[in-house]
Amino acid sequence: MALKRFLAPALAVAGLAALAAGPAAAQTKWNLPSAYPADNFHTENLAQFSKDVEAASGGKLIITLHPNASLFKAPEIKRAVATGQAQAGEVIMSIHENEDPIFGIDVVPFLATSYEDSKKLWKLSRPAVEKKLASQGLMVLYAVPWPPQGIFSKNPVNSLADLKGAKWRAYNPGTSRIGEMIGAQPVTVQQAELAQALATGVVTALITSAATGYDVKIWESIPYFYDVQAWLPKNLVFVNKAAFDALDKATQEAVLKAAAAAEERGWQSSIDKSKWYMEQLKAHGMKVEPPSPELKAGFQKIGEQLTADWLKKAGPEGQAIVEAFKK
Ligand code: PCA
């Protein structure tokens, strides 16, 4: 009863507002949750994407960003979009590797370590990723890689043995597995909670990009960075397929065009900013070094094991992509 009394006038007001607004009643609003801070390059790229869509659709589609895991936590974003709680979203693809090995193709260690290779791998794997997402009612818009992954540590690391017993922060199943293989104690912490985990000593070593190091002011607790360049994980931006289908043709085209531009732009800004992020680590007093030959060799050995494991899990479809990639 109380609810009805509240709703009735609210609906009347909404109705009047719609009448007064005229054609704006045809405006669609999407929410887009993401998991990284507003000034991260992925998020800035998303903001530009949303502006482009608004302009190209003549204001018919407004996409509101919710960065920094403020609407949904990273592991929940994909499901939220699939179930229509949000209309679009961004997430690091490999967080869902346990659901399907294809989501982990870009974190197979040392498979694709340059931006060029990463792009080649994405072109080859995109159809399989699209197929999997389509089966969940989702449609891929674009993907952009993080800068190359290296090791941050509280203590100097000359070989993998120095990471034994470390409180190892993981962000996906692959990094968790690496923690186990090196005899560290893996703990999964998404970036939105990472600064606190570092400050409280819950984490003493991790593998990620200089970008994330910068985002969480990692120099406040971690002095060493080793530029291993193990892989370039990608963030994936996707949309609820029914929400996309509900748009008129012209607006759909505006979204797809803005997405293609966002992929190009994001890729380039990842390349450009990767150097800048690394310089920021140095400027804040960190020791930034290439890995020692021992560390590199140790990591490569782990990489071989993980590659073999992945190929086995991924089956013929994944194997065919990797074969095509290596050609
Ligand atoms: N930053 C994200 C994922 C990969 C990266 O470079 C993170 O550490 O959570």
Side-chain angles (χ1 to χ4, degrees):
M1 179 63 190
L3 185 63
K4 219 170 173 184
R5 227 185 289 139
F6 169 77
L7 273 182
L11 284 177
V13 170
L16 281 179
L19 276 181
Q27 190 179 68
T28 302
K29 291 192 170 165
W30 283 359
N31 286 309
L32 192 159
S34 72
Y36 306 98
D39 61 351
N40 175 279
F41 74 97
H42 285 293
T43 319
E44 286 175 347
N45 193 39
L46 270 175
Q48 186 61 49
F49 165 72
S50 140
K51 263 193 209 152
D52 289 353
V53 167
E54 183 171 342
S57 70
K60 273 194 185 165
L61 178 57
I62 307 290
I63 303 177
T64 304
L65 302 189
H66 302 271
N68 222 9
S70 56
L71 194 57
F72 293 100
K73 305 238 178 263
E76 296 159 5
I77 290 175
K78 188 160 75 66
R79 186 199 300 264
V81 179
T83 56
Q85 291 171 276
Q87 292 70 40
E90 180 196 53
V91 80
I92 181 158
M93 188 169 85
S94 52
I95 207 175
H96 296 298
E97 181 174 0
N98 282 344
E99 214 179 278
D100 193 307
I102 193 65
F103 294 138
I105 194 166
D106 60 359
V107 295
V108 174
F110 304 110
L111 179 62
T113 60
S114 68
Y115 280 99
E116 212 187 327
D117 280 355
S118 166
K119 194 157 227 177
K120 184 177 173 193
L121 188 61
W122 173 227
K123 281 214 175 104
L124 290 165
S125 55
R126 182 170 179 151
V129 172
E130 283 180 340
K131 195 172 104 198
K132 179 68 196 182
L133 285 193
S135 76
Q136 303 178 326
L138 298 167
M139 192 179 105
V140 174
L141 289 178
Y142 68 89
V144 168
W146 289 88
Q149 307 288 290
I151 293 176
F152 287 93
S153 173
K154 207 171 180 88
N155 302 310
V157 180
N158 293 310
S159 74
L160 284 184
D162 295 326
L163 288 166
K164 243 188 206 134
K167 294 175 185 166
W168 177 260
R169 177 266 179 166
Y171 63 77
N172 64 5
T175 49
S176 185
R177 175 101 174 86
I178 289 174
E180 285 163 13
M181 289 171 81
I182 62 181
Q185 302 169 36
V187 47
T188 299
V189 179
Q190 290 307 324
Q191 186 173 322
E193 282 90 40
L194 182 55
Q196 191 178 353
L198 288 163
T200 54
V202 170
V203 167
T204 60
L206 59 150
I207 184 160
T208 185
S209 60
T212 290
Y214 173 83
D215 284 350
V216 303
K217 297 191 170 64
I218 202 160
W219 47 81
E220 290 181 355
S221 56
I222 300 275
Y224 299 100
F225 180 65
Y226 302 96
D227 188 15
V228 179
Q229 309 195 355
W231 62 82
L232 284 78
K234 288 188 300 293
N235 276 4
L236 193 61
V237 178
F238 48 88
V239 59
N240 178 291
K241 183 66 165 56
F244 182 83
D245 287 346
L247 301 172
D248 62 49
K249 262 263 148 334
T251 308
Q252 288 181 350
E253 271 158 30
V255 170
L256 295 180
K257 205 168 154 222
E263 181 159 301
E264 284 298 314
R265 186 178 58 236
W267 220 278
Q268 193 56 47
S269 100
S270 186
I271 295 171
D272 296 343
K273 285 202 87 178
S274 66
K275 292 184 206 99
W276 183 85
Y277 280 126
M278 202 95 91
E279 279 156 19
Q280 291 302 306
L281 300 184
K282 289 184 203 156
H284 286 87
M286 291 189 68
K287 250 182 142 35
V288 175
E289 291 174 356
S292 71
E294 293 90 322
L295 181 58
K296 183 128 205 204
F299 230 91
Q300 230 128 20
K301 200 151 172 232
I302 283 186
E304 279 160 25
Q305 179 64 52
L306 288 172
T307 306
D309 292 351
W310 187 86
L311 286 169
K312 203 164 152 204
K313 270 187 304 187
E317 192 187 27
Q319 289 159 13
I321 296 170
V322 170
E323 261 163 47
F325 171 74
K326 284 186 166 163
K327 261 188 203 144

